[in-house]
Amino acid sequence: MTKRRTQDMIGVTGDLFAQQELEAAAQDTPPQDAGRAPRARESAQQMLAVLDRWVERGWLRTLDAAFARFLWTETPQAAPLLLLAAALASHQLGRGHVCLDLRATLDDPAFALSLPPDGPQLPAAEPVQPPAEVLAGVTLAQWRAALDAPEMVGIEVGNTPLVLAGTRLYLRRYWQYEQDVRAGIERRLARRAQIEAALPADAARRALDALFPARAIDAGQPPRADWQKLACALAARSAFSIVTGGPGTGKTTTVVKLLALLQTLALGQAGTRGARPLRIRLAAPTGKAAARLNESIAGAVKRLPFDALPNGEALRATIPTVVTTLHRVLGTRPGSRRFRHDAANPLPVDVLVIDEASMVDLEMMAAVLDALPSTARLILLGDKDQLASVEAGAVLGELCERAREGHYTEATRAWLEAATGERIDAVMLDAHGTPLDQAVAMLRESHRFAADSGIGALAELVNTGNAAGVAKIWARGFADLARVACSTADDVPLRALIVEGRAGNTGETNVVRANESAAVSRYGYRHYLETMRALRPESGASPEALAQWAAAVLKAHGEFQLLCALRRGPWGVEGLNQRVARLLHESALIDPRGDWYAGRPVLVTHNDHELGLMNGDIGIALALPVRDGEPPVLRVAFPAMDGSRGVKWVSPSRLQSVETVFALTVHKSQGSEFTHAALVLPDTYSPVLTRELVYTGITRAREFLTLAVPEGRPVLDRAVVSRVQRASGLMAGLADDADAA
């Protein structure tokens, strides 16, 4: 096999490898091999036929089966179980897994495919063997033996398209990403002793005491540790750190104070001549997340007690308030997976902060670590319990899997007490805590959801898998929760929800609601559409007036959002967008004739560097004011992502990758908050309905949450007890060396 062909196979599942080329190669006649028994060829062909049937059923992607066939054309003697493993390893990437876990697949073969099937049913003359039947009687030893093919499966460094690590089978590119991420984190964790030696605890204590004034202690209550202060100290002593916590726990406030601490220490290093402020960049995975962080960072910086810090006013200018997307930070190259900044051209930064890090996939994390200078700090912020990235990998979730219990060593506790005056509870100590454990801080007190918040209580019940508690919460009278039963045959409940933001009308039996008299904001889509009409400027309005109008409409649109779990079906994005557009039209709020109309909300689905728009950006089509008799002019208004809070106007004809977004998937909503969020669940269970998805949807609501569920269907109960499972080996090396802690 030539090196060139091998490299092609390594990149089979990459976006730049043309699927048409792969499928064309798969139809080539494999070379003859006189020394191979005909029966082996028939067996391999039979396996490929099974894979084709799985594709027809929707269990497997076309690309996955084509990858296996492509390998067979290059190595016709490949064992059938190797071809099966190759197809499944490719398929796992599309489902968020980094690799194929052979042992887990043998334990539960159906989990390796996209089941239940949603493709067309095959005629009885073409029976389909399910995964359990194909793997019946296969042992782990037999499957590993079938992968003993050095030209196709390697153990470590090499050019083989597949890599076997223990019981995990990778496409080589993703094995390399995992190695790079692990090595990049380990190198930064190894610098802790050096950083700590140059960081006097008393200097950190003075700065932290100024940043965190003493808190009032509730009478009769034991003092609680200030985890924001502890998180700052933990992160200050490490070149790699994570601050995790649920919504409203103060992650943004904490990181701003951390940056102030780092700058104070950098500028006050014993009065060193030529001391300079740290070069800091703030980033988020999507434009929407960056825009939201822009607002919260600016507010947090204003609240910093600069007057209590040395050189306070000079320090203020060193704390950045502009957040950009990771793609912009790294410098995208159109038509390439590579970025402008890499190991050969590192980022000019001393500190990189990434918010909403749960959305960062393995490939992107590898690119970030590759582009960071060896001396730079990396700080990750995010909610470990949210959905992981759409792409392969659940990096933040894996790195934080021990965060709740702490696992801090006695040495860590002693240093933190000296640096903060706060004492970690003994139950969080672990003599065998790993170096990673000492760099992770979990914030535990929510400032968004009060003790009487139904949203907060529901999120906690879902997060702990308490289905019984979730079922009972609706009887507790929370003022910020409502539940409505919807059906495809009755538009009344859905119309009330999406137009007015209300869970039906008083007296309807299909509605379970909270305290109806509570003064809460229950926006629906009427709010932004009437804002669009009421504030529309007159003809000849100035650009400033138009921008103010667009900004008001965008803000009003963000007050309410319909969220769903799926893309297809009547309760997915595709079905709900059509249904909502019809209901709004019937309510005389929009006139959806043609593809573009005033009030159409659109979601950017692919990065467009020429327009400066990123995947996940949301805009609203607006009819600009014109003189009487002139045809209307439509422009789409997007929030500017440069920190200016301005508006970017784009002609609809230039938007090639957008879709209507009355309904938004929970995945796409990450990094956003809405005053009122309505989460719609489908009427049948799907494997994508997990605890993490429901939790993420719930916590998009800032003030009010409506849960729309199919009547009489227990999909919520099943989702609460189902967890995201992603095969990976990232933690295999990070959790080994506890001595260095």
Side-chain angles (χ1 to χ4, degrees):
M1 185 182 302
T2 66
K3 182 176 180 180
R4 172 60 181 165
R5 296 287 275 178
T6 301
Q7 290 173 339
D8 282 348
M9 289 197 298
I10 294 172
V12 158
T13 59
D15 293 340
L16 298 179
F17 190 97
Q19 184 169 333
Q20 292 86 352
E21 178 183 340
L22 177 63
E23 292 172 346
Q27 297 175 11
D28 292 343
T29 302
Q32 297 295 319
D33 184 355
R36 182 170 56 81
R39 186 173 180 181
R41 174 188 289 264
E42 293 170 2
S43 182
Q45 290 177 327
Q46 288 170 356
M47 180 62 74
L48 294 173
V50 168
L51 298 180
D52 289 340
R53 300 288 81 75
W54 287 357
V55 170
E56 293 175 11
R57 289 295 296 268
W59 298 354
L60 200 67
R61 301 179 302 177
T62 302
L63 179 63
D64 308 324
F67 176 46
R69 191 175 295 275
F70 182 71
L71 295 182
W72 182 57
T73 65
E74 294 296 316
T75 311
Q77 69 272 20
L81 283 175
L82 191 156
L83 300 178
L84 172 65
L88 294 180
S90 170
H91 186 63
Q92 298 317 291
L93 295 175
R95 304 176 63 236
H97 300 278
V98 176
C99 58
L100 173 71
D101 189 320
L102 302 178
R103 188 189 306 276
T105 302
L106 290 174
D107 290 342
D108 183 10
F111 179 72
L113 294 180
S114 296
L115 303 177
D118 57 6
Q121 296 295 319
L122 293 176
E126 298 182 78
V128 181
Q129 291 179 286
E133 188 174 323
V134 173
L135 289 169
V138 176
T139 66
L140 181 61
Q142 289 171 334
W143 207 352
R144 286 174 58 93
L147 298 176
D148 185 11
E151 71 278 18
M152 296 176 64
V153 183
I155 302 301
E156 292 183 354
V157 178
N159 288 319
T160 57
L162 298 167
V163 177
L164 183 63
T167 64
R168 299 183 302 274
L169 182 68
Y170 297 80
L171 271 71
R172 176 166 292 281
R173 185 155 57 88
Y174 283 85
W175 176 84
Q176 191 62 58
Y177 291 150
E178 195 171 89
Q179 299 300 306
D180 293 345
V181 169
R182 184 189 300 129
I185 293 174
E186 287 176 338
R187 283 194 297 269
R188 284 172 169 77
L189 292 174
R191 291 177 50 205
R192 199 196 71 223
Q194 175 188 357
I195 292 173
E196 190 175 310
L199 177 60
D202 58 344
R205 177 70 179 269
R206 287 192 297 273
L208 285 169
D209 284 348
L211 289 165
F212 292 90
R215 300 189 302 174
I217 299 176
D218 296 335
Q221 297 293 327
R224 294 171 298 168
D226 187 338
W227 274 99
Q228 292 189 14
K229 191 174 185 180
L230 286 166
C232 286
L234 274 171
R237 70 198 282 260
S238 179
F240 174 80
S241 57
I242 301 175
V243 179
T244 187
T249 52
K251 295 185 291 292
T252 302
T253 299
T254 300
V255 80
V256 167
K257 291 186 176 183
L258 169 60
L259 297 179
L261 170 65
L262 294 176
Q263 291 287 31
T264 299
L265 296 172
L267 295 173
Q269 289 290 335
T272 304
R273 178 180 298 180
R276 63 170 179 82
L278 299 170
R279 298 166 299 173
I280 300 173
R281 293 291 301 272
L282 308 176
T286 66
K288 189 73 173 179
R292 179 169 157 251
L293 185 60
N294 264 321
E295 297 180 3
S296 55
I297 284 281
V301 171
K302 288 181 180 178
R303 295 190 296 271
L304 277 179
F306 287 107
D307 54 347
L309 295 167
N311 303 314
E313 286 308 309
L315 183 65
R316 184 190 300 273
T318 69
I319 310 297
T321 57
V322 175
V323 186
T324 53
T325 64
L326 272 175
H327 286 84
R328 288 192 176 103
V329 169
L330 295 176
T332 53
R333 290 177 171 177
S336 172
R337 299 184 78 93
R338 297 186 178 275
F339 294 97
R340 187 162 48 86
H341 289 289
D342 55 19
N345 180 32
L347 287 165
V349 298
D350 300 304
V351 180
L352 177 63
V353 178
I354 302 177
D355 191 30
E356 296 290 352
S358 63
M359 302 166 64
V360 181
D361 61 90
L362 183 69
E363 181 178 2
M364 177 59 80
M365 191 63 74
V368 167
L369 287 163
D370 186 48
L372 274 181
S374 60
T375 57
R377 294 174 182 261
L378 176 60
I379 302 168
L380 304 182
L381 305 180
D383 186 345
K384 69 181 181 64
D385 298 312
Q386 278 190 193
L387 277 171
S389 63
V390 176
E391 304 299 330
V395 179
L396 186 75
E398 289 185 71
L399 295 175
C400 294
E401 63 183 12
R402 288 158 55 97
R404 185 175 294 274
E405 296 80 19
H407 298 280
Y408 300 116
T409 64
E410 188 61 59
T412 294
R413 180 164 77 162
W415 191 91
L416 289 176
E417 186 171 1
T420 67
E422 303 287 329
R423 188 164 179 82
I424 295 176
D425 196 288
V427 299
M428 304 189 73
L429 297 181
D430 181 356
H432 302 289
T434 68
L436 177 62
D437 293 330
Q438 317 313 303
V440 179
M442 179 175 171
L443 306 182
R444 300 153 194 276
E445 182 180 353
S446 176
H447 304 282
R448 184 203 299 180
F449 301 132
D452 60 349
S453 166
I455 299 173
L458 179 59
E460 179 63 20
L461 289 168
V462 169
N463 206 11
T464 56
N466 189 342
V470 171
K472 295 176 182 177
I473 197 172
W474 311 102
R476 294 169 60 182
F478 285 112
D480 56 351
L481 286 182
R483 183 180 62 175
V484 58
C486 291
S487 73
T488 55
D490 183 6
D491 282 340
V492 173
L494 186 62
R495 179 184 286 110
L497 176 60
I498 61 100
V499 176
E500 311 296 343
R502 302 189 67 83
N505 299 316
T506 302
E508 287 181 346
T509 59
N510 67 336
V511 176
V512 178
R513 51 174 140 343
N515 184 356
E516 194 67 37
S517 64
V520 292
S521 301
R522 299 190 183 182
Y523 296 100
Y525 285 141
R526 178 187 294 278
H527 176 56
Y528 93 88
L529 291 167
E530 290 189 344
T531 298
M532 177 184 70
R533 293 181 179 178
L535 300 184
R536 185 169 181 261
E538 297 293 332
S539 174
S542 67
E544 292 77 12
L546 293 174
Q548 290 175 1
W549 168 51
V553 176
L554 288 166
K555 181 179 183 299
H557 178 265
E559 304 285 10
F560 174 78
Q561 182 63 56
L562 192 66
L563 305 175
C564 55
L566 309 176
R567 286 201 55 81
R568 296 179 176 83
W571 300 109
V573 164
E574 295 175 0
L576 282 172
N577 273 328
Q578 296 177 8
R579 191 174 177 190
V580 170
R582 175 175 59 79
L583 294 175
L584 293 175
H585 179 51
E586 291 172 358
S587 299
L589 292 171
I590 62 171
D591 185 10
R593 288 180 292 185
D595 292 336
W596 288 97
Y597 51 88
R600 181 192 177 194
V602 293
L603 175 80
V604 177
T605 57
H606 290 90
N607 295 339
D608 190 325
H609 304 289
E610 181 179 351
L611 294 178
L613 298 175
M614 305 301 288
N615 185 3
D617 289 352
I618 291 179
I620 308 290
L622 299 175
L624 301 185
V626 293
R627 294 183 178 87
D628 290 342
E630 294 182 356
V633 176
L634 279 179
R635 292 292 182 268
V636 184
F638 291 90
M641 297 303 176
D642 56 4
S644 66
R645 300 190 182 185
V647 173
K648 177 192 294 289
W649 296 96
V650 181
S651 170
S653 63
R654 301 190 65 192
L655 293 170
Q656 304 302 315
S657 300
V658 294
E659 60 185 28
T660 302
V661 70
F662 288 120
L664 180 67
T665 63
V666 174
H667 262 294
K668 289 287 188 180
S669 75
Q670 287 183 265
S672 302
E673 290 180 3
F674 310 98
T675 304
H676 178 188
L679 176 60
V680 182
L681 298 182
D683 53 2
T684 57
Y685 180 76
S686 166
V688 304
L689 285 174
T690 62
R691 179 185 309 175
E692 290 83 357
L693 182 139
V694 175
Y695 169 81
T696 303
I698 290 170
T699 54
R700 297 313 89 203
R702 191 166 50 244
E703 295 182 14
F704 197 84
L705 172 76
T706 299
L707 186 65
V709 294
E711 194 167 9
R713 301 295 180 92
V715 290
L716 177 60
D717 294 346
R718 188 169 176 185
V720 169
V721 298
S722 300
R723 302 215 62 176
V724 170
Q725 300 177 38
R726 289 202 167 180
S728 165
L730 178 61
M731 295 301 295
L734 284 172
D736 291 341
D737 183 11
D739 295 336

